Amino acid sequence: MDRKYFDIATDIAWCPGCGNFGIRNIMLDAMVELGLSKDKLCFVSGIGQAAKAPHYYDVSYFNGLHGRALPVASGIKAANPDIKLIVESGDGDMYGEGGNHFIHTIRRNPDITVIVHNNMVYGLTKGQASPTTQKGMKTPIQTEGVNSIPLNPVALAITMGATFVARGAAGDKEKTKEIIKAAIMHKGFALVDIFQACVSFNKVNTHKWYKENIVIIPDTHPKDDKVKALSLAFSESPWPLGIFYEVNGFKTFEDSLPVYEHSHEPLYKRTRNMDILREIMNQKK
Amino acid sequence: MDRKYFDIATDIAWCPGCGNFGIRNIMLDAMVELGLSKDKLCFVSGIGQAAKAPHYYDVSYFNGLHGRALPVASGIKAANPDIKLIVESGDGDMYGEGGNHFIHTIRRNPDITVIVHNNMVYGLTKGQASPTTQKGMKTPIQTEGVNSIPLNPVALAITMGATFVARGAAGDKEKTKEIIKAAIMHKGFALVDIFQACVSFNKVNTHKWYKENIVIIPDTHPKDDKVKALSLAFSESPWPLGIFYEVNGFKTFEDSLPVYEHSHEPLYKRTRNMDILREIMNQKK
Amino acid sequence: MNNTITDLTIMLAGEAGAGVQSTEAILTSAMKKAGYNVFATKEYMSRVRGGTNSTTIRISENRICNQWGAPDIFIPFDLAAYTRYKPELLEKSIVIADTKIVKASNIFHLGFNDTSLSIGNIIYASMVVAGSIAGLTGVDLEVLKSYIAKQFETKDKKIIADNIKAAEVGYEEGKKIAEQAGLKIEIKNNDYVKDDILVSGSESIALGALAGGCDAVFSYPMTPGTGVFTTLANWAKKAGVVVEQVEDEIGVINMAIGAWYAGARAIVSTSGGGFALMTEGLSLSGMTETPVVIHLAQRPGPATGLPTRTEQGDLNLALYAGHGVFARAIFAPGNLEQGYELTKYAFDVADKYQSPVIVLTDQYFTDSYYNTPGFKIYSPPEKYIVEAKEEYKRYDLKEGSLSPRSVPGFGVGRVCVDSDEHDESGRITEELNGIVLKMKNKRFGKFALLKDIALVPDLYGSDDYEILFVCWGSALTTALEAVKKIGDKVSLLHFKQVYPIAQTALNYFQKAKKIVMIENNQAYQFKNLIEHELGIKIPSTILKYNGLQFISDELYRKMKEVI
Amino acid sequence: MNNTITDLTIMLAGEAGAGVQSTEAILTSAMKKAGYNVFATKEYMSRVRGGTNSTTIRISENRICNQWGAPDIFIPFDLAAYTRYKPELLEKSIVIADTKIVKASNIFHLGFNDTSLSIGNIIYASMVVAGSIAGLTGVDLEVLKSYIAKQFETKDKKIIADNIKAAEVGYEEGKKIAEQAGLKIEIKNNDYVKDDILVSGSESIALGALAGGCDAVFSYPMTPGTGVFTTLANWAKKAGVVVEQVEDEIGVINMAIGAWYAGARAIVSTSGGGFALMTEGLSLSGMTETPVVIHLAQRPGPATGLPTRTEQGDLNLALYAGHGVFARAIFAPGNLEQGYELTKYAFDVADKYQSPVIVLTDQYFTDSYYNTPGFKIYSPPEKYIVEAKEEYKRYDLKEGSLSPRSVPGFGVGRVCVDSDEHDESGRITEELNGIVLKMKNKRFGKFALLKDIALVPDLYGSDDYEILFVCWGSALTTALEAVKKIGDKVSLLHFKQVYPIAQTALNYFQKAKKIVMIENNQAYQFKNLIEHELGIKIPSTILKYNGLQFISDELYRKMKEVI
Ligand SMILES: Cc1ncc(C[n+]2csc(CCOP(=O)(O)OP(=O)(O)O)c2C)c(N)n1
Ligand SMILES: Cc1ncc(C[n+]2csc(CCOP(=O)(O)OP(=O)(O)O)c2C)c(N)n1
Ligand code: SF4
Ligand code: SF4
Ligand SMILES: [Mg+2]
Ligand SMILES: [Mg+2]
């Protein structure tokens, strides 16, 4: 099995030089190295440049509405708990339009890997601020510079109770691949926020900037300490890269559903025993 | 000036014994003690039992849609920065349906005081789980008990960068009044999450439970230390009551708008100089 | 005064939480067990305690499924209730109340507060009232007693005994009042009633969902849509249904679509405001051709409106919600059986036509209940899902508008679904004059397919009518009793599917000399639709829009006026 | 070959980011400065780089505001562009390209890549192309040069010189090609053009907003709605406009309603999917009677659809979005002047009638631009806000449907606004037969008020027509040129307000022997509306729905077919 297994020959609609290509490469390698099988794998995305990613793998996918990848993914999990589910989308999609789903999906803890291409900008709509855009950056809308406090996805996910929270970078292939692999193998909600340069619209957070502003999280960091993880998450310039927080053994959304108590058989394979209707109606007599 | 100034004789649609009455009393006193003036004050709420609160004061209010109090409030601030704005609503309204506005409004830091009646349940719709319902509680929908990780509003607000974050309790009148007064005086986004017993639908978190599960935050707590504040926010049973986090001097949403650079005159009092149109059109020649 | 009543209407009213609801529950269950036909409908304020709510119960020897007229007996639990509903009474209506609380003239005293307190707890008041009605109507006391024994069988013996005592005292009081009032109630009971089921509109929808193979329900609570959600949640473990309360309605519809994409049959239940938030998701269902079933229980808008009241005011939204062009089907059940059958059918239509399907009800429909024969039990529904071979294409054009639908994980093929315009394999395309047009035409073709199978409206009454009353959805039962009374040459046409409209419906209109549309909204939304779809004019309407359902005799009077 | 051209159409095409857009900008600006009438429209893929986009520029001696037909000159920047658009060319169209890149026959070579590289930078390619067109068309080179000098005046001298050099080389090449091709272009220039403004549809809306007293814009980016947002943001500081990008469209509409409640005049700009999310908010505006102005720029749906393309497919949604019953007005400008005037007017209507008002455009409208006389400058708009006295009631019934509107902080009174059904002072009520009905009727009254002031459609052409073509919104300019060519007894009726429909519009239809509706959607949504509103039948339609606007000569041919 090699990269060709997931690679697909197609016109990729990203700009030349974009960090998205790096992430795609890392994903292809990570999936192959994990030996994922296409018939047990599904991608979900929203809308944006990053959200086109599933089109560029040879996989099943649901490319839905802007901001709505997570509820779709949760619905898929609810219907078929054994599908490996990867959500891949952009920062605007996930933390902006999709913010409410982000915080509440974490609370549910479905077994989903969420890969966010964080270019700190709205790429597809041509350069407006995203929730992660840093203060002061000027855009066609934020003509005087961004005023809002940037959203810190790592800190937010940890606070909400996500069981695996990490940061990667498109430019740091090896480290990021390992993080993604760990995220995919993690049972429960796993966030990997990936720094990615948008060469067309983000002239602040460039490939160079990312390279210079990243520091690898030391192995000594206690990954199961929420407060320490948060404290690390708040540190900026340099921005830590690696796994901030990881706890295991938490029940997933799908495992807490009574329908999967005895079997993980997907719902579409099941047939209702219609006697239940008779029974209910008898109660109503 | 006494309570009558804000009190209004009306049929209150809350259940006898509900913690909402306690919050209302505290609010009336706090407003009077601060000497707020009706013609410079406005309330905004969403939909729910708590969200009816503004109807029970003699004030201007916008009682909008379920979950949408904060954007309405931000719109009001954008139009008239000198209005004292209090948002009063329920936990479901603010953290559930309104979750996305909650996290992003904090990022904007408008000068708004947000009072949340947190009864850990959906009252008006008769007892379903809210985002703050504790694990295991059974409801008509969560018949096997709640599985999701409860949302911690205090921790969430601190993580998002709110400049004033506190917890009160309907049953602790004096302390909560002081907190609310401080919140109203605070310049910037201030959250006061208030524990409140729902006698009709929450049989777990009762008046008694709240009394027994609260501990006052000691004066020694360093209110400007984000990580310490978060660490405190994560402690439960007993749950700390008081101000977790408070930092001052941050620019507000409205103050960062160029229209208010030279004057806070509300927009409805302004008249556009139509020469600007001439100027723009000349540029387009 | 001496009036023999064979069809009795009772109204109970009081504060939320004061016992109206428990009295109603005891009464209707016991009466049904005793073989009486019962119907109950409620109207209530948007609050948990206090205010003034009422429930109206009709008891009859014949099958009933609606309220005919003003109550024969009115039992206000407090003065506010008396004051609010007094104007609706007839001269002959009798009022029974605790006159210590309701101080007014012409009231028969029933000391349910003192009585229940003397038995030991104010909560027995409901039982006293229930007992009194049994006494008034001459129902066998033993029936009530055995119902109580059964109902509380898991409880303490003392509790059972006290309840029975309360019922007995009430019973005696009731008999006395009947005598004083010269009231003769003679309702025959029927054996068939005992085999009937007693279910509400919400329950009929929930049962229909189970029959339709529903295996997931996603919702965010919203009155009056919550009933279906709660009912399904209640049966979920037994029936193997996934239940999830989602953070908001946008999440709800997307989660349901995700579940359908993965092969589950999911329903969502909501009301106008929540449905409004699902608008974009509806369009996603249309574009991706992923089925979804939506139960939309209407209440008066706009915005939060009157959250606990009824209206048929969201038809336009149901018809046109969603940006862009895509097909849908909308069913609007008129009685419990239709609630069951149409909801079941909604799942099949959604699945087969890969389109959104809406079941459109309202607060009146969901909250009302009556005894009806058990619903037909079908075998498990057909599955329309195919296995994906290696070269599977989700939007294969070979079979016209309906490409075989697979789900991820079923077979080796990839199931690629896209909310952008896409090619056969589900990949984004901008081939404007090629595949784009083909896909647009493919989806547009579903309008015709759904029209082909549109359910023909039901004609009630003789074929040989001159005047045709027309209604839709929940208005059926109310309108039907009124039309029957009006007499010859008058029939009722009821639409249980409101979109698409079956073209053959036109025949019914062409035969009529006069057509009158009955709607529970201010803007005659269905009239507009019918006029346009069938190219006719309906000059006359009877509208109501104060948040309450029509009552048959009120409608009867309005019908008389217009014909 | 020898053809004299007085009205020239040029198409430039290539990858996004490859220079098409900058060539277009230089050309249209320079041509306009030189006194030529120019029109430009673009179509592009939903990506930032790559793909194939095109822009079509028309240059004429007469006023123009649309494309007539296939390009006379086509300049593909790469082979993919050549391949994609080749089928649209006429036999007489000439193709100019860098034949090193576009290897095909019958192409006139323009070595813009080598040339620009030899000048020093590939970015000069745009200038070479622009220069060549100037050369082809015989525009005075000096005009182009002085435009360049002005355009780059803040830049390095070397840059100016290089640009001028590129233009000169291009100019000479262009002249050569014209000679080779036997092309004679004779377009007269006009002095009046220099005083015109050159603005796009988006800019006309933004300017109209400013004229309408707009002092806040809230939006979430969505193509093609973003243009208005960006334009207003660009002028905001000067004009004193609050600009806020909100977290989602639900936040957008609620923030705008909040701002209106507090007395600001706010606009939101969005497209179908975003508007779908605003549905509940629209209903809030209706219920609370808080004005709001929405610019809805359509693109093809459903769902994400074709994000950068054009369609008139969201009319039904604009008409019916929102649960419950409430009134609205919808304007649909057909040209830049209408874009300006109607947007300005939208603010007044919203404010005065305390209702939501929608300005409905589409991608074609927002992105196209041409020179047009400067818009009329009005005095600042009337303010409809009153001071609140102590006893102020927001929903005072004294003045019928339009209660005087105050804002919090203006006067001592309380301004209480409620999304539930409410009484005059804005407090929740459930007085179903009292104040509830009055409030429902009060709001319903606005349908009639808005209908009373509905703008009558514009008739273009003789009063004495037999055939009437009907269109709405952005179709105006395209349809108009086609209709004019068709000849006698044929006129065009254009609706710039699509809801409510002025009753007097009926006269136009009654006079026609034949009526043909032209729409850029698959489901003839406006035909359906007109048929129902006016009670007529429109048997014939010309529809397009591939994501592109009609082109006049295409429409002309279709018109010929149907008449
Ligand atoms: C409801 C809705 N609102 C807005 C849009 C327009 N839109 C498409 S992509 C996008 C932002 C994308 O930003 P991000 O998620 O960061 O992705 P990127 O392009 O930067 O990879 C927006 C606003 C939309 N498609 N749907
Ligand atoms: C869009 C929408 N969805 C759902 C509802 C129904 N609804 C009204 S109040 C409420 C929950 C209220 O809970 P909370 O905010 O905690 O207030 P409480 O009643 O507990 O004070 C819900 C779900 C609504 N009005 N609008
Ligand atoms: S716009 Fe930015 S993020 Fe999108 S493909 Fe181009 S460089 Fe990458
Ligand atoms: S339902 Fe609960 S929260 Fe609401 S008023 Fe009653 S007790 Fe209070
Ligand atoms: Mg981005
Ligand atoms: Mg609550």
Side-chain angles (χ1 to χ4, degrees), chain B residues 151-186:
Chain B
L151 183 147
N152 183 325
V154 168
L156 177 56
I158 296 169
T159 299
M160 292 306 305
T163 48
F164 182 107
V165 184
R167 177 181 291 133
D172 192 334
K173 184 166 173 173
E174 278 313 309
K175 183 80 194 159
T176 302
K177 189 180 72 188
E178 291 316 315
I179 294 169
I180 288 177
K181 282 164 66 177
I184 294 177
M185 294 318 293
H186 175 76

Side-chain angles (χ1 to χ4, degrees), chain C residues 451 454-457 500-509 533-535:
Chain C
K451 192 159 180 119
L455 301 173
V456 176
I501 297 293
Q503 198 53 42
T504 51
L506 183 58
N507 304 334
Y508 291 112
F509 291 96
E533 291 289 314
L534 300 179

Side-chain angles (χ1 to χ4, degrees), chain D residues 10-272:
Chain D
I10 304 164
M11 181 193 257
L12 310 169
E15 290 192 356
V20 168
Q21 235 174 301
S22 42
T23 310
E24 170 200 325
I26 299 162
L27 252 181
T28 52
S29 304
M31 289 286 181
K32 191 242 159 205
K33 295 247 188 261
Y36 296 92
N37 285 295
V38 289
F39 163 85
T41 183
K42 48 168 130 311
E43 55 83 28
Y44 49 102
M45 288 183 168
S46 179
R47 54 195 287 172
V48 173
R49 288 294 177 86
T52 308
N53 300 343
S54 79
T55 189
T56 301
I57 301 168
R58 183 174 174 192
I59 304 167
S60 176
E61 152 183 348
N62 304 311
R63 284 211 173 277
I64 39 169
C65 36
N66 59 289
Q67 178 178 355
W68 168 259
D72 303 293
I73 300 172
F74 173 46
I75 308 184
F77 282 49
D78 56 40
L79 188 59
Y82 177 74
T83 314
R84 185 169 175 114
Y85 300 104
K86 177 86 178 75
E88 293 175 24
L89 301 183
L90 301 177
E91 225 183 303
K92 62 166 193 161
S93 309
I94 71 164
V95 182
I96 301 173
D98 191 328
T99 49
K100 281 202 188 153
I101 296 166
V102 182
K103 296 195 165 89
S105 51
N106 288 323
I107 297 186
F108 292 96
H109 176 68
L110 181 70
F112 47 80
N113 292 297
D114 287 352
T115 306
S116 54
L117 284 175
S118 80
I119 293 171
N121 195 323
I122 186 79
I123 68 162
Y124 298 126
S126 308
M127 201 54 86
V128 178
V129 177
S132 75
I133 293 170
L136 270 160
T137 50
V139 166
D140 192 346
L141 179 61
E142 291 312 312
V143 174
L144 184 57
K145 279 160 77 172
S146 73
Y147 166 77
I148 293 171
K150 181 110 191 60
Q151 195 62 14
F152 295 91
E153 70 189 344
T154 61
K155 295 272 154 76
D156 209 273
K157 281 228 173 91
K158 165 102 170 71
I159 291 180
I160 299 176
D162 285 351
N163 269 296
I164 287 182
K165 192 159 169 204
E168 282 172 342
V169 175
Y171 195 86
E172 289 311 315
E173 291 291 318
K175 271 184 25 186
K176 260 189 256 161
I177 293 170
E179 228 162 83
Q180 287 164 21
L183 206 63
K184 261 192 93 177
I185 300 175
E186 282 179 3
I187 307 172
K188 273 194 228 130
N189 55 358
N190 302 283
D191 268 354
Y192 68 76
V193 173
K194 296 177 192 165
D195 283 331
D196 275 5
I197 56 174
L198 186 63
V199 294
S200 69
S202 285
E203 288 170 318
S204 77
I205 304 288
L207 279 163
L210 293 182
C214 168
D215 39 26
V217 56
F218 302 105
S219 277
Y220 186 82
M222 186 162 193
T223 312
T226 316
V228 168
F229 190 27
T230 312
T231 307
L232 280 171
N234 199 24
W235 300 333
K237 202 166 174 185
K238 250 195 192 143
V241 175
V242 168
V243 179
E244 185 62 13
Q245 179 179 324
V246 189
E247 54 273 12
D248 58 31
E249 287 86 349
I250 303 174
V252 166
I253 188 81
N254 279 280
M255 207 175 280
I257 289 173
W260 274 97
Y261 164 69
R265 284 190 158 196
I267 193 171
V268 312
S269 186
T270 189
S271 185

Side-chain angles (χ1 to χ4, degrees), chain A residues 99-100 103-104, chain B residues 67 92-104:
Chain A
N100 208 31
I103 61 177
H104 291 286
Chain B
D93 187 78
M94 189 61 63
Y95 310 132
E97 185 89 45
N100 209 30
H101 312 305
F102 183 69
I103 61 178
H104 291 286

